[in-house]
Amino acid sequence: MAVAWTNDMTSSTRFWDKTARKYAASPIKDEDAYQKTLARTLEHLGPQDNVLELGCGTGSTALIMDGNVRSYLATDFAPGMIRIADEKLEAEKTRGKLHDGLRFLTADVFSESVEVPEGYDAILGFNFLHLVENPEDLLARVHGLLKPGGLFISKTVCLADKAWLFVPLIKAMQLVGKAPFVRVYSFASVEDMISRTGFDIIETGTYPEPRSRFIVARKA
């Protein structure tokens, strides 16, 4: 059964909303891995594709990607993130980059506002699944929003091999509002979860090594 989106400010939403400006100012930790992720993603997208991005943050990836596809809806549940993304979009337009196919929206995957009658050719979620509290419901919703044969392209931080170190630290930080919800995956567990939701995995990679799993999955 689908989970309705209420736009409530959960603890994770409040964390990311409050952190948005600091997040936007932070440099990419591994530029080579980021570029590899973009390159592999673009190999699976075409100029006629309609794309939805989940957890877009402040929109940096969307601003790069949208010129390669027909339409690009970039969403995040934290209003602060989308405010900064819209600022970036306006700045790009001022510099003459139109981004006609790009739109930013404060929304969750369960929101009716992300639905399109024809379905999406691809749905993207980078550094995202490990922050989701109801991943099976989310993946079922993603499956339903895609066209037959559509792609779910994701990259997920997998900390299972270091859980003994990270989990106590994360829980302590969560108690004082310094960390959001985080789920601990292994490569195998995240791939199995995606497969069980009705996807065929057609490509995997690790960018960056050793803990960020890139997965391209086709709607079966």
Side-chain angles (χ1 to χ4, degrees):
M1 185 175 69
V3 177
W5 184 58
T6 63
N7 202 18
D8 290 338
M9 290 289 280
T10 66
S11 58
S12 285
T13 307
R14 288 192 295 270
F15 172 84
W16 290 113
D17 199 54
K18 183 178 179 180
T19 309
R21 292 289 170 187
K22 182 178 179 181
Y23 176 86
S26 301
I28 295 171
K29 291 182 179 179
D30 191 322
E31 183 66 34
D32 288 343
Y34 179 66
Q35 292 301 326
K36 179 70 171 180
T37 300
L38 294 181
R40 292 310 311 148
T41 300
L42 286 171
E43 284 293 318
H44 294 279
L45 301 180
Q48 297 305 311
D49 285 349
N50 297 313
V51 176
L52 169 66
E53 184 182 356
L54 307 175
C56 72
T58 59
S60 297
T61 297
L63 289 165
I64 295 170
M65 289 287 195
D66 92 289
N68 299 279
V69 298
R70 182 181 181 182
S71 71
Y72 197 109
L73 174 59
T75 66
D76 200 286
F77 59 35
M81 293 289 187
I82 295 300
R83 281 193 294 271
I84 295 171
D86 279 331
E87 291 169 8
K88 289 181 178 180
L89 180 58
E90 288 304 310
E92 291 262 295
K93 290 180 177 179
T94 298
R95 291 194 291 268
K97 297 182 179 180
L98 297 181
H99 293 287
D100 289 335
L102 175 61
R103 183 164 61 99
F104 290 110
L105 181 67
T106 302
D108 184 281
V109 69
F110 300 108
S111 171
E112 292 182 358
S113 60
V114 306
E115 296 175 3
V116 291
E118 67 275 17
Y120 291 98
D121 298 284
I123 296 178
L124 316 180
F126 300 125
N127 299 314
F128 173 69
L129 271 179
H130 65 293
L131 303 173
V132 173
E133 297 188 37
N134 53 339
E136 292 86 0
D137 291 331
L138 179 139
L139 287 169
R141 172 68 164 167
V142 166
H143 191 276
L145 290 171
L146 285 166
K147 294 179 179 178
L151 299 178
F152 176 52
I153 304 177
S154 62
K155 188 166 79 171
T156 304
V157 176
C158 296
L159 299 174
D161 65 331
K162 293 289 185 180
W164 61 272
L165 173 63
F166 287 113
V167 171
L169 178 61
I170 291 168
K171 287 186 178 300
M173 294 176 68
Q174 287 170 338
L175 289 174
V176 293
K178 297 296 185 181
F181 174 88
V182 177
R183 188 176 294 272
V184 176
Y185 290 110
S186 64
F187 289 178
S189 65
V190 73
E191 290 172 19
D192 180 65
M193 181 177 65
I194 290 172
S195 296
R196 283 188 284 104
T197 317
F199 290 95
D200 295 325
I201 294 177
I202 61 174
E203 179 179 333
T204 61
T206 309
Y207 326 121
E209 296 278 2
R211 296 186 182 90
S212 290
R213 194 60 162 173
F214 176 78
I215 300 171
V216 182
R218 178 178 288 121
K219 178 176 177 175

